[in-house]
Amino acid sequence: VGFDDESDGAQESSMPLQRVRSVSLPPMPSVVPPTPSTLEACLSLSTSQANLRQMLNSSLQSDSRTDSRASGMSSITTDGSESDVASDASSPTRLAETKRAHTARELLTTERTYLHRIEGMALICLPAIRAELPSDSALLKVLLATAAMVPLHRRFVERLGPCIESWGPASMLGAIFDEHMHALPEAYANYATSFDAATAELATRAAHEPFARNLAQAEATFNSGAALPTRLSALMLDPVARNPRYILLIKSYLKATPADHPDVAPATAGLSAAERTAEHVNEEIRFKENQLKLLELEPLVPSLALRGKVLVLMGEVQKRCRKDLRPRFLILLKDAFIICKVKRGVMTLEYEPSYTLAVPQDIENVDLVRAELAGSDYAFCVVSRKHKSFMFNAVSREQQQLWIKTLRRRVGLADSSPAPTARHSSLSMIPDRIGKSAPIWVPDDQISQCMSCGSPFTLLRRRRHHCRG
């Protein structure tokens, strides 16, 4: 049977064959030889199927080229040949440039938002509540530090905006960012050192009038037209988080910037400046915390002038004395190691300095002590060059390791403390140091022979007077 329409023929010829149940059929008529019209119809069907396959192949090739151009990948045709997509080699570069442009725009967008929020603190909240704040108020210091930040960030936005809005592959922001970061350390350090006290002060003052009323009016003015209202306590968190955000953004920007791009060097310099700002802020915070600890310690050690000193570490340990262990309070300053006796009364506590070693010149070594010598798994010794040397028992492995590492670092020794399970000890080298270093007191029951000459102790030979160095 022939088909007049090619599409009908193609549809009919593509129908799947189905297995049917056997049935009784009438006798088949005799086969009639094909006529010329029947042959022409079969040839027409064969031609239409070939044309259909060619059309499908062309469509697949076209779709493959379109998809490959959209994804930046080369396409392969049905016959195995590679298509002529020229973007294969350039697609990683294009994707990196897109990422780079996106990070630059994010830097500008977040900076504008941040500037708006610190302007709200400095220009709206500060004037509204300043009359209620004393001159030594931590909250006032924080808001004044914010006011000092505003012109710095305003200038940054003014310079960064035109650069980002006309962004292209050759655009650079590294020099602008580097200059901006060099202007920030002092303002942010002043802010960070007063932040905790300012947060506590704000919570206290917000419960009293007229401070609470004035603050509410200022917050309402700032939030006018905003979808989500923001409190001053939330705004105060922004400067704390801004510098870490800078570091993350510039790292992402450098990751998407080609290594040979001229903006790599200035952007890297800007990243280093941001990291230095973070370290400067952290140092100021540590210094402020150090001063607070010294103020708390000063009444307990009235005989010491601690004002203006730099506290490194302090804590209570047990000191090995001639007959037993006794409590001692250790104070490690930047330039001195002080050992204090502990005087406890019913309602009083006082530390009396008994020994002071200059750091680093008076300390020769700091190390672990073998448990069989010290009677403790957490012992460590401080060997002096000219004063008395000491053996201490810490209350835990962590405290032992902290004292050893901190003292060795302050003295300038290599941080090569043995593992906690090691039985190494500086006392094993004492025979070589007899007469050169102040000896560490070792209980008589721990030693059976002279540590210098090796002579055994007897009932007639007094141990404490034999080669004590």
Side-chain angles (χ1 to χ4, degrees):
V1 178
F3 298 99
D4 295 331
D5 185 73
E6 291 183 359
S7 63
D8 290 339
Q11 182 177 4
E12 185 70 22
S13 64
S14 63
M15 291 177 62
L17 297 177
Q18 298 181 355
R19 187 178 300 275
V20 299
R21 186 177 58 183
S22 299
V23 296
S24 299
L25 297 176
M28 293 183 60
S30 59
V31 178
V32 180
T35 61
S37 61
T38 304
L39 292 175
E40 290 176 2
C42 292
L43 289 174
S44 176
L45 174 61
S46 177
T47 303
S48 66
Q49 290 176 338
N51 291 337
L52 180 61
R53 283 195 298 271
Q54 185 175 2
M55 291 171 60
L56 288 173
N57 285 337
S58 300
S59 177
L60 289 173
Q61 294 177 24
S62 177
D63 291 344
S64 176
R65 291 191 184 97
T66 302
D67 293 341
S68 65
R69 291 190 182 99
S71 61
M73 301 294 290
S74 62
S75 62
I76 306 298
T77 61
T78 55
D79 60 356
S81 62
E82 188 172 353
S83 65
D84 56 349
V85 179
S87 62
D88 178 58
S90 63
S91 59
T93 304
R94 188 166 63 251
L95 290 174
E97 178 56 36
T98 301
K99 173 75 173 181
R100 179 171 170 266
H102 173 77
T103 306
R105 285 193 297 272
E106 184 179 359
L107 177 62
L108 176 61
T109 302
T110 56
E111 185 68 17
R112 284 173 172 166
T113 302
Y114 175 68
L115 175 61
H116 170 68
R117 291 169 72 89
I118 63 174
E119 283 179 337
M121 294 171 59
L123 305 180
I124 299 176
C125 296
L126 176 58
I129 62 177
R130 185 165 187 172
E132 308 298 328
L133 300 176
S135 59
D136 60 346
S137 166
L139 181 58
L140 178 60
K141 293 178 182 178
V142 159
L143 293 176
L144 290 176
T146 306
M149 297 176 192
V150 169
L152 303 178
H153 290 276
R154 190 176 290 163
R155 173 175 169 77
F156 184 44
V157 169
E158 291 172 354
R159 295 192 61 196
L160 190 63
C163 173
I164 305 301
E165 290 165 0
S166 60
W167 191 262
S171 298
M172 300 190 297
L173 60 80
I176 300 174
F177 181 76
D178 184 29
E179 180 182 344
H180 173 62
M181 291 311 305
H182 278 85
L184 297 185
E186 286 304 320
Y188 275 81
N190 294 335
Y191 187 96
T193 53
S194 301
F195 174 75
D196 289 337
T199 303
E201 182 182 350
L202 176 62
T204 301
R205 292 184 179 277
H208 301 85
E209 299 292 348
F211 183 92
R213 180 176 61 255
N214 295 338
L215 177 60
Q217 292 175 354
E219 290 175 344
T221 302
F222 175 77
N223 292 315
S224 178
L228 295 174
T230 305
R231 306 291 299 273
L232 176 59
S233 56
L235 293 176
M236 287 170 58
L237 294 172
D238 287 6
V240 177
R242 188 55 186 165
N243 195 66
R245 183 72 179 275
Y246 278 148
I247 294 175
L248 291 176
L249 286 172
I250 295 302
K251 283 183 177 179
S252 178
Y253 176 80
L254 285 170
K255 187 176 180 180
T257 304
D260 57 349
H261 197 283
D263 201 28
V264 169
T268 302
L271 176 61
S272 299
E275 292 172 340
R276 286 194 301 271
T277 297
E279 181 58 28
H280 178 70
V281 170
N282 290 335
E283 286 180 357
E284 290 296 321
I285 293 174
R286 287 193 293 267
F287 180 77
K288 185 66 176 292
E289 293 175 347
N290 171 81
Q291 295 304 306
L292 293 175
K293 289 180 180 178
L294 286 176
L295 288 176
E296 296 174 359
L297 183 61
E298 200 169 34
L300 301 177
V301 197
S303 59
L304 280 181
L306 296 176
R307 191 69 57 91
K309 298 290 185 178
V310 178
L311 179 65
V312 179
L313 187 61
M314 64 180 180
E316 186 170 326
V317 297
Q318 297 287 322
K319 174 181 171 292
R320 168 63 68 180
C321 298
R322 288 176 179 263
K323 296 182 179 180
D324 54 9
L325 295 171
R326 296 182 183 178
R328 292 291 184 266
F329 191 82
L330 307 183
I331 303 173
L332 177 60
L333 303 177
K334 187 176 181 180
D335 57 353
F337 179 57
I338 305 170
I339 303 168
C340 302
K341 295 179 179 179
V342 180
K343 294 184 175 181
R344 286 189 175 91
V346 178
M347 299 292 293
T348 61
L349 174 64
E350 186 176 324
Y351 302 131
E352 178 185 345
S354 56
Y355 296 98
T356 300
L357 302 181
V359 176
Q361 54 268 30
D362 286 350
I363 299 180
E364 180 179 355
N365 197 13
V366 181
D367 213 337
L368 292 174
V369 179
R370 293 200 308 266
E372 56 268 24
L373 289 178
S376 169
D377 288 330
Y378 311 135
F380 65 97
C381 61
V382 178
V383 180
S384 172
R385 288 188 172 90
K386 58 182 181 179
H387 297 284
K388 181 179 179 180
S389 296
F390 306 91
M391 184 192 303
F392 302 104
N393 285 359
V395 298
S396 65
R397 179 71 64 192
E398 291 73 20
Q399 188 189 37
Q400 177 201 44
Q401 294 295 310
L402 178 61
W403 274 108
I404 291 175
K405 290 181 179 180
T406 306
L407 281 166
R408 292 181 70 89
R409 194 159 49 239
R410 293 302 310 160
V411 174
L413 299 171
D415 189 11
S416 57
S417 300
T421 57
R423 294 305 185 192
H424 172 75
S425 170
S426 291
L427 295 179
S428 62
M429 297 180 288
I430 281 182
D432 298 331
R433 305 302 301 164
I434 293 292
K436 300 178 182 179
S437 300
I440 296 174
W441 179 263
V442 180
D444 289 345
D445 58 359
Q446 301 293 333
I447 296 295
S448 60
Q449 63 182 20
C450 175
M451 300 173 65
S452 178
C453 67
S455 300
F457 292 133
T458 66
L459 293 175
L460 299 179
R461 181 177 292 153
R462 296 177 60 88
R463 303 180 181 192
R464 68 179 61 183
H465 296 298
H466 186 80
C467 296
R468 279 294 182 183

